Amino acid sequence: MLTEEEFYKESIDANLYYLRTLRDFCINVEVSVYGSTPYKARAESLARRSQDLGREIVTSTNGKVPSKGLSYQIFYTEYTLPIERLTEKLLNLNLGTNITEMQLRLTPADTFDVNEDLITSMASFNDRATSIANDFIELAKEITKEMTSNNLFSYSYPTMYNFMIITIELYIGELNRLKERIKKDPIIALDTEYGYNITAYEITSFLRGLIDPSADSYIEVLNNILNEIYPKLLKDYNRLPLSPENQQNLTERSIAVIRRIRLLISNMLRDLLDAKLYFIIEPLAIDNFYRNINYFLYALDADMKEV
């Protein structure tokens, strides 16, 4: 069972990561769904609720967050603020970058003095986050259904919406685990690893489809990951029996490929900001992918493992 401090720290990390991710997904809905539709207003409302809750959590902690989450760049990255500003410029949006500017002032902490009031407050935040997450999943499923029945056009893919749904379902799973104060056991850890590998594979696939076809060097690396590395890794997750040796092997291979994807997206973001690379999606989505990859490395505690 989680201690009160573990519950508090893991709640901060999960919420600040996933609430920004959910906000970014809502921005994608707003800019990709064609025409005037209530879906855009609902997405805008959810984005605002996500930002407001994230701001409340940061305020409640006096800007102190677990050092692990900060070091893995799961709350924001070195690219987040300039990418937000580029997205605002290109799409004539107001993303409310003040929440990012606020998070840039976060301070790391390894220990937290918690009391009953703080635990009660964090449990309330988690309940509100669960409500926001469920509302987003409902919205994304409605849009997907309309898209796949030729009743709605979006510049995004149904597969992208399924990716969003799976990601936020992982959030709800984390919130439920925290509510029950359950530690991750080896089986949960292995299932989580497999789920994030599926997510990383899909991110790589999205990047391959969204990048300018003239970006040959990037496309070569993306194809190698998609066609050579991941098919073998995912097959082994399904066929190898659960044992400490197999789990270590799978984790090490996962960390290696995720680090490679992380470096790739980092280079993409630099080239994007330098106007050397083009994607047919809002720039904010690429930074979202980057944080998603960072979160996977955080979940694997990759910096504590030699690979």
Side-chain angles (χ1 to χ4, degrees):
M1 185 173 181
L2 291 173
T3 66
E4 288 190 337
E5 185 183 18
E6 288 171 335
F7 166 79
Y8 188 76
K9 291 168 66 175
E10 291 185 25
S11 293
I12 293 172
D13 280 355
N15 282 317
L16 293 187
Y17 164 68
Y18 276 111
L19 286 169
R20 179 181 285 276
T21 297
L22 197 152
R23 188 287 305 255
D24 291 353
F25 287 167
C26 290
I27 299 300
N28 180 267
V29 173
E30 288 185 65
V31 302
S32 65
V33 172
Y34 181 75
S36 178
T37 166
Y39 294 135
K40 291 188 176 184
R42 288 168 63 185
E44 183 181 4
S45 174
L46 284 168
R48 185 167 55 252
R49 288 168 63 192
S50 299
Q51 283 193 314
D52 289 347
L53 182 53
R55 187 180 293 108
E56 284 187 54
I57 292 171
V58 170
T59 301
S60 74
T61 68
N62 295 315
K64 288 176 58 179
V65 297
S67 55
K68 178 183 173 182
L70 203 57
S71 66
Y72 276 99
Q73 295 190 31
I74 65 173
F75 311 134
Y76 61 85
T77 76
E78 68 267 39
Y79 307 108
T80 299
L81 189 57
I83 283 291
E84 284 184 336
R85 289 170 174 164
L86 177 61
T87 302
E88 287 183 324
K89 182 183 79 170
L90 293 176
L91 297 170
N92 193 28
L93 294 172
N94 180 4
L95 298 179
T97 57
N98 59 321
I99 183 64
T100 301
E101 292 164 356
M102 180 184 187
Q103 290 190 352
L104 288 170
R105 298 190 293 272
L106 294 174
T107 55
D110 292 319
T111 60
F112 290 79
D113 294 323
V114 297
N115 54 47
E116 186 177 345
D117 288 342
L118 287 175
I119 295 300
T120 300
S121 177
M122 189 58 71
S124 176
F125 289 146
N126 288 352
D127 288 341
R128 289 168 59 190
T130 301
S131 175
I132 294 170
N134 280 320
D135 287 349
F136 176 81
I137 288 175
E138 180 182 353
L139 173 64
K141 286 182 176 179
E142 286 181 29
I143 292 174
T144 304
K145 182 178 179 181
E146 290 296 287
M147 288 173 64
T148 55
S149 58
N150 283 345
N151 291 321
L152 180 72
F153 178 78
S154 171
Y155 291 98
S156 192
Y157 305 121
T159 306
M160 177 72 82
Y161 279 93
N162 289 332
F163 163 78
M164 295 178 189
I165 291 167
I166 290 170
T167 299
I168 302 306
E169 285 176 341
L170 286 171
Y171 183 21
I172 292 173
E174 277 293 284
L175 291 169
N176 288 337
R177 180 183 67 82
L178 289 167
K179 186 174 184 177
E180 299 297 327
R181 310 289 177 90
I182 298 172
K183 286 180 177 285
K184 290 182 178 178
D185 63 28
I187 294 177
I188 293 176
L190 199 61
D191 286 344
T192 301
E193 281 184 27
Y194 181 75
Y196 280 118
N197 271 301
I198 292 293
T199 298
Y201 175 86
E202 290 182 342
I203 286 173
T204 308
S205 180
F206 291 143
L207 291 169
R208 176 63 182 86
L210 296 166
I211 197 170
D212 189 316
S214 68
D216 294 336
S217 59
Y218 282 120
I219 290 172
E220 181 180 355
V221 177
L222 290 166
N223 283 340
N224 176 256
I225 294 170
L226 288 170
N227 300 328
E228 300 294 331
I229 297 175
Y230 258 126
K232 296 176 183 176
L233 178 59
L234 296 176
K235 181 179 179 181
D236 283 348
Y237 266 102
N238 285 313
R239 73 175 183 84
L240 292 177
L242 181 62
S243 70
E245 294 78 15
N246 286 336
Q247 183 171 350
Q248 180 179 355
N249 172 267
L250 292 169
T251 299
E252 289 177 352
R253 289 164 62 191
S254 296
I255 290 173
V257 66
I258 291 297
R259 282 177 173 166
R260 187 178 182 191
I261 296 170
R262 184 184 190 277
L263 177 61
L264 183 70
I265 301 178
S266 177
N267 291 335
M268 287 176 170
L269 285 163
R270 280 198 294 269
D271 283 349
L272 181 59
L273 289 167
D274 291 339
K276 296 177 181 178
L277 189 62
Y278 195 87
F279 292 89
I280 53 169
I281 197 171
E282 70 278 5
L284 190 66
I286 310 303
D287 185 67
N288 184 294
F289 291 156
Y290 186 56
R291 282 190 313 100
N292 199 303
I293 293 299
N294 287 345
Y295 189 78
F296 187 23
L297 291 172
Y298 157 92
L300 291 173
D301 206 9
D303 290 349
M304 300 300 294
K305 298 181 175 72
E306 292 293 331
V307 178

